[in-house]
């Protein structure tokens, strides 16, 4: 916490100016662009959780859409019972984390390929179950009576993103973050100094699923109908991976950059059929991996370091 306060004292005015600018956008920006920015905020929250699980625990969750969809259904049912937007979103995150607890106790015993396949299978089972049961609306979906304006949704999403960024920043520079880094670098060394690896992995997994559920709860608030194909599609899973890889794995700002890039690119190529859009995304991903292995943020950071080094040499 002291580290975060010190960092805020040094550059706090910059963050205040950025926050004021972002929260003033609804005053002069049209609805279409606000929707894009809203989706960027939602997917940045999801990407932050997805990246944390991937880079800190070395676990690739190919079925993270299950938690994204869980949040959407929790929030949808909360809103159907006339619960306000913010409590329904919190219910989505907490409910998803509660579902993830027993699943984490089972699946976190697996590693690498086996964990990825287990989560993928989980998402497929959930997709079939949702389509089969009338309780979830089946293929017809759940009809929602959401009457929130895009300006309200945008403000709520931005507040959620700012809080998520603050928590991620604090946790990364805390004792908890140091322990997670130690585990991610060398599990055997972490065991030798007495760290409970299973416990810290579970904490990270629960926080990651909480953020996925939070993102799902926010996303469904924009919809008038909740369809399983919308939240449990391979497209959603692909977007999570794309945002993390393109933005920069292991970097908090990288997830925001990655989400902004993916959502903006998707909006630009929205007029193309799905197959063409995936081809374009695939080519972009290949280009980033070849020329920017550390993602866009890693490339910017490397360029800034080289520029600073040259500037110091000239001085």
């Amino acid at each position: 916490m002291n580290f975060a306060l010190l960092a805020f004292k040094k550059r706090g005015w910059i963050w205040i100016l950025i926050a004021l600018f972002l929260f003033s956008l609804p005053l002069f920006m049209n609805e279409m662009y606000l929707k894009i920015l809203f989706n960027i905020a939602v997917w940045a929250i999801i990407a932050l959780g997805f990246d944390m699980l991937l880079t800190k625990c070395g676990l690739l969750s190919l079925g993270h859409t299950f938690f994204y969809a869980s949040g959407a259904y929790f929030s949808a049912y909360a809103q159907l019972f006339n619960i306000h937007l913010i409590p329904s979103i919190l219910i989505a995150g907490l409910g998803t984390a509660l579902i993830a607890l027993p699943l984490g106790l089972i699946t976190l015993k697996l590693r690498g390929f086996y964990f990825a396949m287990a989560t993928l299978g989980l998402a497929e089972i959930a997709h079939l179950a949702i389509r089969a049961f009338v309780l979830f609306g089946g293929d017809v979906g759940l009809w929602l009576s959401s009457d929130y304006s895009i300006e309200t949704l945008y403000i709520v999403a931005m507040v959620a993103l700012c809080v998520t960024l603050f928590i991620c920043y604090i946790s990364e520079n805390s004792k908890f973050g140091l322990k997670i880094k130690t585990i991610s670098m060398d599990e055997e060394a972490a065991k030798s100094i007495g760290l409970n690896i299973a416990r810290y992995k579970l904490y990270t997994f629960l926080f990651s699923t909480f953020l996925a559920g939070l993102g799902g709860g926010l996303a469904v608030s924009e919809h008038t109908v909740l369809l399983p194909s919308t939240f449990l599609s391979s497209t959603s899973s692909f977007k999570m991976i794309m945002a993390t890889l393109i933005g920069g794995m292991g970097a908090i700002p990288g997830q925001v950059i990655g989400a902004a890039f993916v959502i903006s690119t998707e909006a630009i190529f929205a007029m193309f059929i799905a197959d063409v859009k995936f081809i374009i995304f695939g080519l972009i991903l290949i280009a980033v991996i070849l020329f920017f292995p550390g993602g866009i943020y890693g490339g910017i950071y490397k360029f800034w370091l080289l520029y600073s080094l040259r500037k110091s040499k000239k001085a």
Side-chain angles (χ1 to χ4, degrees):
M1 183 66 75
N2 292 333
F3 180 87
L5 290 173
L6 183 63
F8 183 79
K9 286 177 182 178
K10 287 183 178 180
R11 297 184 180 87
W13 62 275
I14 297 175
W15 300 115
I16 290 170
L17 286 175
I18 292 171
L20 287 173
F21 171 73
L22 289 173
F23 286 108
S24 66
L25 287 178
L27 297 174
F28 55 85
M29 189 168 281
N30 65 38
E31 189 175 311
M32 183 183 72
Y33 291 113
L34 279 179
K35 281 185 177 181
I36 293 172
L37 290 173
F38 166 77
N39 283 309
I40 288 171
V42 168
W43 281 96
I45 291 169
I46 295 167
L48 284 163
F50 185 82
D51 176 72
M52 185 176 285
L53 186 64
L54 178 61
T55 57
K56 302 300 186 289
C57 297
L59 297 170
L60 175 61
S61 176
L62 292 178
H64 224 57
T65 50
F66 167 71
F67 305 112
Y68 174 54
S70 296
Y73 277 94
F74 271 115
S75 182
Y77 273 105
Q79 290 179 43
L80 287 172
F81 283 97
N82 297 318
I83 296 175
H84 194 264
L85 177 63
I86 294 174
S88 69
I89 292 167
L90 291 174
I91 288 169
L94 292 171
T96 302
L98 190 62
I99 288 175
L101 178 58
L103 296 174
L105 291 172
I106 298 168
T107 58
L108 289 175
K109 294 177 181 179
L110 305 172
R111 291 187 181 185
F113 172 80
Y114 300 102
F115 177 83
M117 289 298 102
T119 54
L120 180 61
L122 181 66
E124 289 301 316
I125 291 168
H127 195 176
L128 292 172
I130 288 170
R131 291 179 63 183
F133 291 104
V134 180
L135 178 66
F136 299 111
D139 287 325
V140 178
L142 287 174
W143 290 89
L144 309 173
S145 56
S146 177
D147 56 353
Y148 300 108
S149 66
I150 188 60
E151 290 81 8
T152 301
L153 293 175
Y154 169 79
I155 294 296
V156 172
M158 279 299 167
V159 170
L161 176 59
C162 289
V163 172
T164 302
L165 286 168
F166 180 74
I167 293 171
C168 288
Y169 186 73
I170 291 293
S171 64
E172 191 170 88
N173 296 283
S174 64
K175 289 181 179 179
F176 174 81
L178 182 62
K179 290 173 181 178
I180 290 294
K181 284 178 185 176
T182 305
I183 292 169
S184 65
M185 290 170 64
D186 193 334
E187 285 195 14
E188 294 303 320
K191 282 182 183 177
S192 67
I193 60 173
L195 289 182
N196 191 326
I197 293 172
R199 182 190 300 171
Y200 284 103
K201 278 190 175 183
L202 181 61
Y203 291 159
T204 307
F205 179 71
L206 291 177
F207 184 62
S208 177
T209 56
F210 171 82
L211 292 182
L214 196 71
L218 278 164
V220 78
S221 301
E222 189 194 9
H223 291 60
T224 54
V225 60
L226 172 53
L227 294 169
S229 58
T230 304
F231 288 86
L232 280 163
S233 65
S234 57
T235 306
S236 298
S237 184
F238 187 64
K239 280 162 71 174
M240 292 179 195
I241 297 169
M242 284 279 289
T244 299
L245 291 179
I246 289 176
M249 288 173 60
I252 291 174
Q255 306 316 304
V256 181
I257 293 169
F261 185 89
V262 169
I263 298 302
S264 301
T265 306
E266 187 179 44
I268 292 168
F269 295 106
M271 69 288 294
F272 291 104
I273 58 174
D275 291 340
V276 174
K277 186 170 67 176
F278 276 119
I279 290 169
I280 293 167
F281 270 131
L283 291 173
I284 291 169
L285 183 60
I286 291 168
V288 169
I289 291 171
L290 288 174
F291 300 105
F292 300 98
I296 295 172
Y297 177 76
I300 294 170
Y301 186 70
K302 186 177 180 181
F303 176 80
W304 180 79
L305 285 177
L306 290 171
Y307 174 78
S308 301
L309 186 63
R310 287 178 183 176
K311 193 175 180 180
S312 62
K313 283 182 178 180
K314 287 180 180 179

